[in-house]
Amino acid sequence: MLSLILSALLASPVAQGLVVPQLVELQKIGTQDDIFPYLAGDAPYFSYPNDYGIPREAPESCEMTQVQLIARHGERYPSKSRGRKLFKTWYKLSNYTKTFNGSLSFLNDDYEFFIQDLDNLEQETTLENSVNPLNPYTGEMDAKLHARDFLQQYGNLLENNTNLTVFATSSRRVHDTAKYFIDALGSDYNATLQVIDEEPSAGANTISAGYSCPAWNESAFSNITDAYSDKYLENIAKRLNKQNPGLNLTSSDSFMLFSWCAYEISARGYSDICDVFTQDELIRYSYYDDLSNYYSDGPGYPLIKDVGSNLFNATVKLLKQSEELDQKAWLSFTHDTDILNYLTTVGLFDDGNPLNATYVPFRDHVFHKSWQVPMGARVYTQKFQCSNESYVRYVVNDAVIPIESCSSGPGFSCPEDDFYDYAASRLQGLNFAAACDVTSVSNVTSLTYYWDYNTTNYNATLLDQ
Ligand SMILES: Cc1ncc(C[n+]2csc(CCOP(=O)(O)O)c2C)c(N)n1
């Protein structure tokens, strides 16, 4: 494999051009996949780790009749606010005048920080803006490979209607992901993109309900999450400061090192800073991410079920109308938190055991945030017909995740009418507009873009957020 890459590389313009990757870099690329699940959804895409073994293809003698996708954008650079914090930590290290020891020794060897252009903050990683021309983890390539996989899985649904309308929020990286996806579908399909505003003024007509929810308070349950011990962060700082006298790293710096590790892999293809952590530390970091998201964007915050109901309601309506609607594939691109909110209302990753701040609940723990929404996350709703019966089920990041209370159908799917009963029970008592106080920011109280895109051209201004 390595020699293949190497010979291709030597023949490529890269070898004759400015950047000649070092052999040592080549050897590192692709060796860090095992830690992606521990990096809070900031590392490159990975399939859902706890696959139950149920094939994601339509079961024997069944035919797909509709598919819906809610996807996250692909691998990206840090946000502006995370970038600011990362630079603070990086400046501490880059201003250290002595030789580094231990796991930071790689900084002695002409290391260049992976954020080389501030304009890249918030944006997808691409072949163009990667730090290393061999980076296999760009958001661009992820979206393109995903599109080819989509065609292989669901291409039949496009056969009678090669016009395809795709939906994306107005976040630039989300939009770009949808564009890359569309590009890779190829010229057999006439795909158009509708860019749906994610400003609060869009109200309920949004794929990003979180931004239209002024009632949402990120710290509503910080009394629970703040109790999580940061001893593991202190230990990292202490260890590095002991090896490197005078460095003075703090717990906040330790926390940033995990982000550095994750984002650098998406920009460079590998990251030496990842070697700083022990496996225990990775697990403690990862659980903190689960805990904090559980209480800010997941089942631990009752308001989130209302937030997610905006999209879940619409997806159920699309399922019910699958025969009348010409379009059989509904593809929507958005942010991680919006997908978490949606999944919380669907109820796929809520076993009713609240996550706690005192210990890692290894056995009672289905809410793994990064498993649900890694970069490039893809949540599919499948509707298929077998004989005269229709069934519904979910495929999250390539794994079929059954609705346990409704999985009697083929491939552990839920019989259509039972699914609508299930959905109605999940949606009972929820009201996005009222619970979120949407009317204080917008007079739009229903989601219509899946039904009126033929008459309304959605082309919201792109935002770098
Ligand atoms: C309910 C609710 N939850 C969170 C937020 C804030 N928010 C919106 S997108 C995003 C992360 C970017 O994700 P990605 O990396 O997928 O673009 C965050 C933190 C909100 N406004 N409402």
Side-chain angles (χ1 to χ4, degrees), residues 72-73 76 173 210-211 216 297 304 307 335-337 341:
R72 189 186 184 193
H73 56 75
R76 62 166 169 86
R173 59 177 173 272
Y211 280 121
W216 177 73
D297 277 297
I304 293 302
V307 182
H335 299 281
D336 57 353
T337 47
N341 300 166

Side-chain angles (χ1 to χ4, degrees), residues 208-449:
S208 189
Y211 280 121
S212 291
C213 186
W216 177 73
N217 171 8
E218 183 170 18
S219 331
F221 291 89
S222 54
N223 59 328
I224 298 179
T225 53
D226 284 355
Y228 190 68
S229 169
D230 66 357
K231 190 98 185 120
Y232 73 107
L233 299 174
E234 280 173 33
N235 287 345
I236 294 169
K238 264 193 216 153
R239 182 167 73 237
L240 298 176
N241 291 337
K242 193 166 173 208
Q243 290 167 344
N244 303 284
L247 188 56
N248 294 330
L249 293 181
T250 64
S251 293
S252 314
D253 292 316
S254 302
F255 195 76
M256 281 307 117
L257 298 183
F258 289 94
S259 290
W260 173 348
C261 157
Y263 286 110
E264 184 168 42
I265 297 173
S266 295
R268 177 171 256 144
Y270 70 92
S271 173
D272 284 322
I273 201 73
C274 305
D275 296 339
V276 159
F277 315 115
T278 65
Q279 187 63 23
D280 285 17
E281 287 158 356
L282 283 163
I283 293 170
R284 290 188 195 285
Y285 175 76
S286 170
Y287 182 65
Y288 177 68
D289 183 57
D290 296 337
L291 180 70
S292 52
N293 279 276
Y294 183 87
Y295 287 105
S296 66
D297 277 297
Y301 187 174
L303 174 69
I304 293 302
K305 291 197 177 72
D306 294 278
V307 182
S309 71
N310 195 48
L311 194 51
F312 186 40
N313 246 321
T315 64
V316 174
K317 208 166 136 189
L318 287 175
L319 286 168
K320 288 183 176 170
Q321 297 173 351
S322 66
E323 286 185 32
E324 308 116 73
L325 296 168
D326 283 344
Q327 185 152 298
K328 304 298 178 197
W330 297 90
L331 313 180
S332 309
F333 292 82
T334 187
H335 299 281
D336 57 353
T337 47
D338 299 303
I339 303 173
L340 283 176
N341 300 166
Y342 163 73
L343 287 171
T344 299
T345 312
V346 178
L348 283 189
F349 300 102
D350 184 6
D351 63 359
N353 295 313
L355 293 191
N356 82 93
T358 331
Y359 59 90
V360 183
F362 289 102
R363 279 175 290 276
D364 290 327
H365 183 189
V366 294
F367 189 87
H368 289 272
K369 191 208 84 176
S370 71
W371 300 12
Q372 297 175 51
V373 285
M375 296 295 178
R378 52 208 67 171
V379 176
Y380 281 95
T381 309
Q382 297 180 331
K383 182 175 181 180
F384 50 77
Q385 194 173 340
C386 322
S387 306
N388 282 326
E389 296 296 325
S390 280
Y391 301 89
V392 175
R393 67 177 183 181
Y394 291 96
V395 181
V396 179
N397 302 325
D398 312 311
V400 173
I401 309 290
I403 298 167
E404 279 191 355
S405 62
C406 187
S407 52
S408 62
F412 295 86
S413 60
C414 180
E416 181 176 16
D417 288 339
D418 295 348
F419 177 82
Y420 297 141
D421 290 345
Y422 171 81
S425 73
R426 294 294 307 179
L427 287 162
Q428 195 175 17
L430 301 180
N431 186 330
F432 169 59
C436 279
D437 194 15
V438 172
T439 50
S440 70
V441 288
S442 169
N443 54 16
V444 184
T445 52
S446 56
L447 188 160
T448 58
Y449 58 84

